[in-house]
Amino acid sequence: MIQENKELNEVEIDRIIEMAWEDRTPFDAIKFQFGLSEADVKALMKKELKFSSYKLWRERVENCKTKHVAKRIDEIDRFKCSRQRSISNNKISKR
């Protein structure tokens, strides 16, 4: 399920769950950053979330056009906002 040579730590698991819940973060971004396929993310979410939360998330993902790159509009061609700095050093305040 997880990357072959590496177990995920608690911080990485929390970040993957956060990214999976975000509507604008595609599964390809999670694969790029953590090496997990869509099936791996689904298995991780099923393992880490309560069943009712997992069901809500799956329903949300199925209906979300931005989670799957193939369903996205062609104008969206990046994983994050062009103004966003790296996650750990984001200085842009919410507007």
Side-chain angles (χ1 to χ4, degrees), residues 46-78:
K46 191 171 190 176
K47 177 183 167 207
E48 296 292 327
L49 299 177
K50 293 187 301 184
F51 184 70
S52 59
S53 297
Y54 173 74
K55 278 179 40 176
L56 289 172
W57 175 75
R58 286 286 291 143
E59 184 177 327
R60 182 177 174 138
V61 166
E62 293 297 320
N63 296 320
C64 185
K65 292 180 178 153
T66 56
K67 271 322 241 191
H68 301 89
V69 173
K71 293 182 182 179
R72 286 181 143 196
I73 58 174
D74 292 334
E75 289 82 37
I76 301 174
D77 60 354
R78 53 187 154 60

Side-chain angles (χ1 to χ4, degrees), residues 14-65:
D14 286 345
R15 181 63 185 137
I16 293 167
I17 291 170
E18 182 181 356
M19 290 174 77
W21 271 105
E22 293 170 348
D23 289 338
R24 294 178 293 180
T25 304
F27 287 111
D28 288 347
I30 298 171
K31 183 165 183 75
F32 177 79
Q33 193 168 359
F34 297 99
L36 298 178
S37 67
E38 182 177 342
D40 293 337
V41 173
K42 288 176 182 176
L44 179 80
M45 295 293 277
K46 191 171 190 176
K47 177 183 167 207
E48 296 292 327
L49 299 177
K50 293 187 301 184
F51 184 70
S52 59
S53 297
Y54 173 74
K55 278 179 40 176
L56 289 172
W57 175 75
R58 286 286 291 143
E59 184 177 327
R60 182 177 174 138
V61 166
E62 293 297 320
N63 296 320
C64 185
K65 292 180 178 153

